[in-house]
Amino acid sequence: EPEVTQTPSHQVTQMGQEVILRCVPISNHLYFYWYRQILGQKVEFLVSFYNNEISEKSEIFDDQFSVERPDGSNFTLKIRSTKLEDSAMYFCASRRVDEQYFGPGTRLTVT
Amino acid sequence: RKEVEQDPGPFNVPEGATVAFNCTYSNSASQSFFWYRQDCRKEPKLLMSVYSSGNEDGRFTAQLNRASQYISLLIRDSKLSDSATYLCVVPPYSGAGSYQLTFGKGTKLSVIP
């Protein structure tokens, strides 16, 4: 069964550093998403991406964040200058029609 | 009224029990409804989709009541492996568009031996 994959599974970085989180969505899916979940809190929407452009973003997704689909398979989330409060699980998701499928997540720890 | 409301639980039930979770939603125009489960520190996993009045998959039954704007999830013959947080998700609209999912904190289920 096809699934969304994410790398790395865990990323530790220092405050102020740039990080890139990578995702490979399910191959015939057209819509891509990033969500995050701070420990103990609910899953929060960050951004949606369709047809090579952002279709919607939340208030969390400020100028420090960017997304890219550099080729036909990868979908990346970049955080330019990480803050302590960016520490969270970051989930990538994709969908073809209605159902969204999530990747296993990247645990980002900012020290 | 919040977009989606669920009883946070926790629900502690013995193995073999039947347990039901309810979820109310505010947007009467919503067409698609989903139940996800999330294990501790794992990703949300799609459990069931509900498009019409209900859906059944083995021990799991989801029912939709559009008039009252609630959906329910029934788990029969609970297993230890059913212990997780169950998330009711109601996207703002269906078809084209962003279709981002809004999650609540969900309902925590613990199945006890």
Side-chain angles (χ1 to χ4, degrees), chain A residues 53-66:
Chain A
E53 59 182 26
I54 290 173
S55 46
E56 196 149 350
K57 57 185 180 179
S58 72
E59 289 176 354
I60 303 168
F61 194 88
D62 61 21
D63 292 342
Q64 294 299 312
F65 291 87
S66 62

Side-chain angles (χ1 to χ4, degrees), chain A residues 11-67:
Chain A
Q11 172 94 45
V12 181
T13 190
Q14 288 190 324
M15 203 165 53
Q17 295 297 303
E18 175 183 287
V19 293
I20 297 176
L21 310 183
R22 292 183 166 79
C23 168
V24 179
I26 295 172
S27 62
N28 63 349
H29 286 191
L30 302 174
Y31 302 86
F32 314 116
Y33 304 82
W34 284 101
Y35 294 82
R36 80 168 186 194
Q37 186 174 31
I38 295 170
L39 188 63
Q41 298 188 23
K42 57 188 182 181
V43 176
E44 300 174 289
F45 166 74
L46 292 178
V47 66
S48 58
F49 193 86
Y50 171 69
N51 202 25
N52 282 320
E53 59 182 26
I54 290 173
S55 46
E56 196 149 350
K57 57 185 180 179
S58 72
E59 289 176 354
I60 303 168
F61 194 88
D62 61 21
D63 292 342
Q64 294 299 312
F65 291 87
S66 62
V67 289

